[in-house]
Amino acid sequence: KNEVEQSPQNLTAQEGEFITINCSYSVGISALHWLQQHPGGGIVSLFMLSSGKKKHGRLIATINIQEKHSSLHITASHPRDSAVYICAVRRSGAGSYQLTFGKGTKLSVIP
Amino acid sequence: DVKVTQSSRYLVKRTGEKVFLECVQDMDHENMFWYRQDPGLGLRLIYFSYDVKMKEKGDIPEGYSVSREKKERFSLILESASTNQTSMYLCASRGQGHWGAFFGQGTRLTVV
């Protein structure tokens, strides 16, 4: 079983829809990242969370440490949001150099 | 802004060639990482380095080696490229005590 699971794997939405991508993990963590990867490969860090909730523009990320779960929400989605969204965790303790990644959620927003 | 720069965006090499992928960061970060990304498998760690001349194997080091002679530069080496090493390669860096990682733009390597 993967230590970081994302759902859904693929998501197609109409422009304007509210979108939720989920991430569950099974290890102790010190931080969780949400990353965005556009076609062409470059990765951008959207959020780094260790507790609670963060908001940046139309993007909202939440984390529940007790339930080992995080969500990324996109309000009023737009075609330019089409990308792969990746959840990554930094483990606490031994192995904390590394990030462990989910397999990504491919989002397509249709005009 | 942190900049992590990979030397090539696209690369085509022949089977058996020695391939160097270069990564440079400009923020004096101690930790640097090489990942490969394949459809359905996500990002997997090949090697990482936490200091100059220090290296640690990641999850899939076979067929790869690395070099960190200077703090800002982390090189990934394919000693004898094979077709199963066709992939997207991503470099990342992170400062000591920081838990944010910064990624390069990726190198799409095709081995023919």
Side-chain angles (χ1 to χ4, degrees):
Chain A
K1 190 180 187 301
N2 294 325
E3 292 176 337
V4 181
E5 296 275 2
Q6 283 185 239
S7 62
Q9 284 188 318
N10 293 282
L11 183 56
T12 300
Q14 290 291 132
E15 183 173 357
E17 282 186 15
F18 180 83
I19 288 162
T20 296
I21 299 170
N22 294 300
C23 175
S24 297
Y25 53 92
S26 58
V27 295
I29 70 168
S30 56
L32 182 143
H33 292 248
W34 280 103
L35 309 171
Q36 181 191 55
Q37 185 176 31
H38 279 284
I43 291 180
V44 173
S45 179
L46 298 174
F47 293 104
M48 295 174 284
L49 294 162
S50 56
S51 64
K53 177 179 174 178
K54 285 192 175 180
K55 185 176 189 291
H56 182 72
R58 295 181 295 106
L59 302 177
I60 303 165
T62 63
I63 188 168
N64 185 318
I65 297 294
Q66 286 73 31
E67 294 185 3
K68 295 189 173 179
H69 181 268
S70 176
S71 293
L72 176 68
H73 305 286
I74 305 175
T75 61
S77 60
H78 190 275
R80 65 174 174 266
D81 297 325
S82 298
V84 175
Y85 292 85
I86 302 169
C87 172
V89 302
R90 183 181 172 191
R91 297 182 198 178
S92 51
S96 61
Y97 284 110
Q98 302 180 30
L99 291 175
T100 303
F101 297 86
K103 292 184 180 179
T105 296
K106 185 175 181 181
L107 172 65
S108 301
V109 181
I110 299 168
Chain B
D1 275 354
V2 174
K3 196 176 271 186
V4 180
T5 304
Q6 293 181 228
S7 52
S8 305
R9 289 296 301 274
Y10 301 96
L11 212 50
V12 180
K13 296 291 182 181
R14 294 197 180 277
T15 302
E17 276 193 74
K18 190 169 186 175
V19 181
F20 292 86
L21 302 183
E22 305 284 348
C23 176
V24 177
Q25 49 94 3
D26 65 0
M27 281 301 288
D28 203 36
H29 283 174
E30 290 81 4
N31 305 301
M32 296 186 75
F33 308 83
W34 274 107
Y35 300 92
R36 64 177 282 178
Q37 184 181 33
D38 300 288
L41 297 175
L43 280 145
R44 295 178 292 167
L45 180 65
I46 305 171
Y47 267 98
F48 68 98
S49 168
Y50 53 89
D51 203 349
V52 175
K53 297 192 187 295
M54 306 303 288
K55 60 186 180 185
E56 292 282 345
K57 292 180 180 179
D59 299 319
I60 50 163
E62 297 78 19
Y64 303 95
S65 62
V66 290
S67 173
R68 184 112 182 257
E69 295 297 317
K70 293 185 178 181
K71 195 174 187 180
E72 66 270 19
R73 186 180 296 270
F74 191 35
S75 302
L76 180 70
I77 303 156
L78 288 65
E79 294 289 343
S80 178
S82 63
T83 54
N84 64 11
Q85 291 178 311
T86 291
S87 187
M88 169 69 86
Y89 290 87
L90 285 146
C91 173
S93 76
R94 180 167 56 82
Q96 198 66 20
H98 299 177
W99 39 269
F102 298 87
F103 287 84
Q105 77 277 27
T107 297
R108 191 170 293 279
L109 172 67
T110 303
V111 182
V112 298

